Amino acid sequence: MFARLLRRFGRVDVDREESRVKQMKPKEACRQTTSPENVLNKVQANEEEERLNRELELTTKERNELTDRLLYVTGGSMSKSPYFRPNPFYENLKIKEKEVMSLLHNLDTKNTEHHEKFQELKKEINFYRNLHSRLLMDQACMKKLVTLKQESKELQRYLFELNPNDEDEQEKTSNLQTQQNVVGTSS
């Protein structure tokens, strides 16, 4: 990989020098003394390697930035890119996402329907509660009315027993009864 990068950046000389050192026979390598020129070549090679590593990092960073720009330009879809190779895991993930989104949409729709039904049921419950309380009030009023009628009849008997001959009193009593009947039917 370094050889390909070196050729790309025009640094073939260092590669040749390294390959010459590798090709030396072990005898020649032992006979060689460390000269300042060899030490200098090693230092230069290390510096060159560090420089190439930095360039590789910069190139990788630039490639990533260009990929991001390409994603932005193509609208976030790498499938429009000429260098796109589909990833089967990504495709499966997309399919799962569509299924989950469909399920979520269905659940949201059902939730809305159930919420509407719940609101209707709450209204119906309130209606029947109000109706029940009215019926209880009417029942209580009817009981009072029955007791009042009984008391009225008792009073009429009592009055009739006191004045059996008084016709005016009988008319008053009959008028009182009719008034009570009118009041009883109007409520």
Side-chain angles (χ1 to χ4, degrees), residues 82-98:
Y83 304 107
F84 176 71
R85 284 181 286 173
N87 184 345
F89 297 117
Y90 181 75
E91 297 301 320
N92 288 339
L93 187 64
K94 279 291 208 183
I95 291 169
K96 292 282 186 190
E97 179 193 17
K98 286 181 182 178

Side-chain angles (χ1 to χ4, degrees), residues 170-182:
Q170 289 176 354
E171 286 179 23
K172 287 180 184 177
T173 336
S174 66
N175 286 339
L176 185 62
Q177 283 178 346
T178 53
Q179 285 178 357
Q180 288 176 354
N181 287 338
V182 169

Side-chain angles (χ1 to χ4, degrees), residues 4 17 19 25 29 33 43 50 58 65 69 73 75 84-85 98 109 114 118 124 134 138 155 182 184:
R4 189 171 46 169
E17 220 172 276
S19 63
K25 295 179 183 173
T33 58
V43 170
E50 288 177 13
L58 289 173
E65 288 175 358
R69 284 185 189 171
V73 169
F84 176 71
R85 284 181 286 173
K98 286 181 182 178
T109 306
H114 289 299
F118 179 72
E124 200 170 324
R134 285 182 187 172
D138 287 347
L155 281 175
V182 169

Side-chain angles (χ1 to χ4, degrees), residues 17-18 21 32 34-49:
E17 220 172 276
E18 288 177 6
V21 172
Q32 264 188 351
T34 55
S35 66
E37 188 177 301
N38 283 340
V39 172
L40 186 59
N41 284 338
K42 288 180 183 178
V43 170
Q44 286 176 345
N46 286 339
E47 289 176 358
E48 189 68 21
E49 184 180 348

Side-chain angles (χ1 to χ4, degrees), residues 33-165:
T33 58
T34 55
S35 66
E37 188 177 301
N38 283 340
V39 172
L40 186 59
N41 284 338
K42 288 180 183 178
V43 170
Q44 286 176 345
N46 286 339
E47 289 176 358
E48 189 68 21
E49 184 180 348
E50 288 177 13
R51 187 183 66 75
L52 287 174
N53 282 336
R54 284 192 304 265
E55 283 183 21
L56 180 63
E57 288 174 6
L58 289 173
T59 306
T60 305
K61 183 178 177 183
E62 185 178 344
R63 184 201 64 201
N64 291 341
E65 288 175 358
L66 289 173
T67 303
D68 291 343
R69 284 185 189 171
L70 180 64
L71 281 172
Y72 177 75
V73 169
T74 59
S77 174
M78 280 298 289
S79 60
K80 297 176 185 175
S81 167
Y83 304 107
F84 176 71
R85 284 181 286 173
N87 184 345
F89 297 117
Y90 181 75
E91 297 301 320
N92 288 339
L93 187 64
K94 279 291 208 183
I95 291 169
K96 292 282 186 190
E97 179 193 17
K98 286 181 182 178
E99 290 174 0
V100 167
M101 292 305 287
S102 173
L103 181 65
L104 184 64
H105 177 71
N106 291 342
L107 288 174
D108 191 34
T109 306
K110 286 181 182 178
N111 186 27
T112 305
E113 291 172 3
H114 289 299
H115 182 72
E116 290 171 0
K117 286 180 183 178
F118 179 72
Q119 293 299 327
E120 290 174 14
L121 289 174
K122 274 177 73 174
K123 288 178 184 177
E124 200 170 324
I125 287 171
N126 286 336
F127 171 75
Y128 285 118
R129 278 186 185 155
N130 290 338
L131 184 63
H132 184 257
S133 62
R134 285 182 187 172
L135 287 173
L136 289 176
M137 286 175 37
D138 287 347
Q139 190 178 18
C141 287
M142 290 298 288
K143 285 181 182 178
K144 285 182 183 178
L145 191 63
V146 167
T147 17
L148 287 175
K149 280 186 179 181
Q150 288 175 354
E151 288 176 4
S152 164
K153 285 181 183 178
E154 289 175 13
L155 281 175
Q156 286 176 0
R157 275 190 230 140
Y158 177 73
L159 288 175
F160 186 70
E161 290 173 2
L162 288 178
N163 294 323
N165 297 333

